[in-house]
């Protein structure tokens, strides 16, 4: 038993002995019966564990568990609740201050609450018709703070709300098209509507939908102005366009209580729709430029200067990873700062400066 081979104890295994068993041909015993048990010869080579194979105890430690730092997700239902709550607080404060200081504002009065709500919305959307304006220094100071807070509020919270609604709409459209393709239902315009590789709607469709919403808002505003404010068709279209684009010359405005109540809702939605449409237009131009640059980068011939610039390690040749990094930098998808941040993170994991991240490195960083 002293000569029995030992299984190496490296990589988390405990050493133990492997019994040697000899094998003999069956021989009849002197009484003519077979042996009660067979014997096997010892193995010519001792059993050794592969040095590169990780121990099972280590592998069990690396099973995926709950993430300590979950990836931040863009948009959630909490954005809708926050936007609604803060909008109500903002409008309540503005309506209360206006209602108790009506004599400090100039303009045509219709109904105290409706006028106050109308003034708050016009101020927050930065339209500024001028039909209701502060006249005392107290109300002017209030208007300064109110417009600054309202401008930041509508830009952050309400834009987040619009993004959430549009993202939900985009996810529903993408899910519907994917489910239809999974069932074998062909949708001819599917490739034109969505980009399944990127998992999003095509930017040209977003621009079209946003512009369609803007035209719809202008049309609804024109009809209301024509029938409620007794304006001609030209003045109705004129005031609707000046309102949704937040120009607000002030030569035309809402004067009836019904019209101002409608404007409180319509202006809030239409100005956001116009801002989103122009944002999509800018995004479409940038996306088109990026695609043109990427096509040029991928199809142009590599030069000696490119080889020298891409050879980060000064080996005299370009590896596949170096080529990928160089092309991504040339496309403008990553910058030198991004690469340095990733390299710093790699160096933290590579505690032994071996140029690679090994299993012991991961265990050492996790402990």
């Amino acid at each position: 038993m002293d000569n029995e081979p030992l299984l190496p104890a490296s990589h988390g295994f405990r050493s133990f002995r492997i019994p040697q068993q000899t094998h003999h041909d069956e021989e009849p015993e002197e009484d003519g019966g077979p042996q009660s048990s067979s014997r096997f010869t010892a193995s010519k080579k001792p059993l050794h564990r592969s040095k590169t194979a990780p121990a099972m105890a280590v592998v069990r430690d690396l099973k995926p568990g709950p993430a300590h730092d979950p990836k931040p997700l863009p948009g959630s239902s909490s954005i809708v609740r926050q936007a609604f709550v803060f909008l109500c607080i903002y409008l309540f404060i503005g309506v209360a201050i206006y209602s108790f200081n009506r004599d400090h504002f100039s303009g045509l009065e219709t109904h105290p609450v409706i006028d106050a709500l109308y003034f708050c919305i016009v101020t927050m959307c930065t339209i500024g018709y001028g039909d209701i304006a502060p006249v005392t220094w107290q109300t002017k100071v209030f208007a300064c703070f109110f417009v600054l807070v309202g401008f930041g509020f509508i830009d952050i919270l309400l834009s987040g709300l619009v993004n959430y609604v549009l993202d939900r709409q985009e996810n529903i459209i993408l899910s519907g098209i994917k489910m239809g393709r999974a069932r074998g239902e062909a949708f001819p315009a599917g490739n034109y509507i969505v980009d399944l590789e990127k998992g999003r709607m095509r930017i040209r469709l977003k621009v079209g939908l946003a512009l369609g919403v803007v035209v719809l808002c202008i049309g609804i505003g024109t009809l209301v102005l024509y029938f409620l404010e007794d304006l001609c068709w030209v003045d109705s279209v004129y005031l609707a366009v000046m309102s949704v684009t937040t120009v607000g010359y002030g030569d035309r405005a809402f004067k009836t209580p019904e019209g101002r109540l409608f404007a409180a809702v319509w202006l809030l939605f239409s100005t956001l729709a116009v801002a989103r449409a122009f944002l999509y237009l800018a995004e479409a131009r940038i996306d088109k430029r990026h695609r043109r640059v990427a096509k040029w980068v991928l199809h142009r011939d590599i030069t000696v200067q490119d080889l020298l610039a891409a050879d980060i390690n000064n080996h005299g040749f370009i590896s596949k990873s170096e080529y990928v990094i160089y092309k991504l930098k040339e496309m403008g998808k990553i910058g030198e700062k991004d690469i340095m941040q990733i390299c710093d993170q790699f160096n933290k994991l590579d505690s032994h400066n071996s140029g690679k991240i090994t299993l012991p490195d991961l265990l050492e960083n996790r402990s």
Side-chain angles (χ1 to χ4, degrees):
M1 296 294 292
D2 294 336
N3 297 326
E4 295 171 356
L6 291 175
L7 186 65
S10 60
H11 302 285
F13 275 114
R14 294 179 301 175
S15 61
F16 58 92
R17 299 181 180 275
I18 301 177
Q20 293 183 348
Q21 294 178 327
T22 57
H23 172 71
H24 299 277
D25 294 332
E26 284 190 352
E27 296 178 357
E29 296 197 6
E30 295 179 355
D31 55 0
Q35 286 182 322
S36 59
S37 61
S38 300
R39 298 179 180 178
F40 297 92
T41 58
S43 302
K44 294 182 179 180
K45 296 181 180 179
L47 296 178
H48 291 284
R49 182 178 165 275
S50 173
K51 294 181 180 180
T52 59
M56 293 304 297
V58 174
V59 174
R60 284 194 297 269
D61 291 338
L62 292 180
K63 287 184 178 179
H68 299 287
D69 297 321
K71 182 180 179 181
L73 299 177
S76 65
S77 59
S78 62
I79 297 179
V80 180
R81 294 192 295 267
Q82 292 176 6
F84 180 77
V85 171
F86 282 103
L87 177 62
C88 292
I89 295 174
Y90 176 84
L91 293 179
F92 176 78
I93 295 174
V95 169
I97 293 177
Y98 180 90
S99 299
F100 288 106
N101 298 274
R102 292 169 55 192
D103 297 335
H104 298 169
F105 290 87
S106 65
L108 177 65
E109 294 185 357
T110 59
H111 187 277
V113 177
I114 295 178
D115 291 344
L117 184 62
Y118 170 74
F119 170 77
C120 293
I121 295 297
V122 169
T123 302
M124 183 173 64
C125 297
T126 67
I127 298 175
Y129 291 123
D131 53 341
I132 299 179
V135 293
T136 63
W137 71 269
Q138 295 93 340
T139 53
K140 288 180 179 179
V141 172
F142 159 73
C144 291
F145 284 102
F146 196 70
V147 71
L148 290 175
V149 174
F151 186 76
F153 171 77
I154 197 172
D155 182 59
I156 298 174
L157 286 180
L158 293 185
S159 295
L161 174 61
V162 172
N163 288 336
Y164 172 75
V165 174
L166 292 176
D167 290 340
R168 292 281 297 177
Q169 180 185 18
E170 182 176 348
N171 291 334
I172 292 173
I173 294 176
L174 288 173
S175 300
I177 293 178
K178 288 181 180 179
M179 291 176 60
R181 291 188 174 184
R183 291 194 299 263
E185 299 175 0
F187 187 57
N191 293 330
Y192 186 83
I193 294 176
V194 299
D195 188 350
L196 292 178
E197 294 182 357
K198 297 181 179 180
R200 67 178 187 180
M201 294 175 60
R202 296 191 182 276
I203 187 64
R204 55 176 174 262
L205 181 64
K206 288 185 177 182
V207 173
L209 290 175
L211 293 177
V213 173
V214 172
V215 173
L216 180 63
C217 290
I218 294 175
I220 293 175
T222 300
L223 293 175
V224 173
L225 287 168
Y226 179 80
F227 290 104
L228 291 183
E229 298 292 332
D230 293 329
L231 297 176
C232 66
W233 285 111
V234 175
D235 288 342
S236 298
V237 175
Y238 168 76
L239 181 56
V241 174
M242 294 301 108
S243 299
V244 299
T245 55
T246 69
V247 175
Y249 288 125
D251 53 341
R252 294 286 186 274
F254 293 85
K255 298 179 180 180
T256 64
E258 295 82 4
R260 289 184 174 181
L261 186 61
F262 163 77
V265 179
W266 175 71
L267 290 175
L268 188 62
F269 181 79
S270 59
T271 52
L272 287 174
V274 172
R276 184 57 48 184
F278 283 113
L279 180 63
Y280 283 153
L281 282 172
E283 184 181 346
R285 293 185 62 185
I286 295 174
D287 184 70
K288 183 178 180 180
R289 178 181 178 276
H290 285 172
R291 285 188 281 108
R292 185 168 60 248
V293 171
K295 184 178 180 181
W296 175 80
V297 169
L298 292 175
H299 290 84
R300 76 178 187 88
D301 296 331
I302 188 170
T303 63
V304 177
Q305 288 78 9
D306 296 330
L307 187 143
L308 296 176
D311 186 12
I312 301 176
N313 298 321
N314 298 321
H315 291 156
F317 60 88
I318 302 177
S319 64
K320 186 176 182 179
S321 58
E322 290 175 334
Y323 183 79
V324 171
I325 293 174
Y326 181 72
K327 286 298 182 181
L328 288 176
K329 288 174 60 178
E330 200 174 13
M331 292 178 186
K333 296 184 180 295
I334 60 173
E336 192 68 28
K337 183 178 179 180
D338 301 323
I339 298 174
M340 295 305 299
Q341 290 177 346
I342 297 173
C343 291
D344 291 340
Q345 185 66 24
F346 181 89
N347 293 333
K348 291 179 182 179
L349 296 174
D350 182 18
S351 56
H352 300 289
N353 296 324
S354 60
K356 55 186 176 181
I357 300 175
T358 61
L359 189 59
D361 293 333
L362 292 180
L363 296 177
E364 182 178 348
N365 284 282
R366 290 185 60 179
S367 59

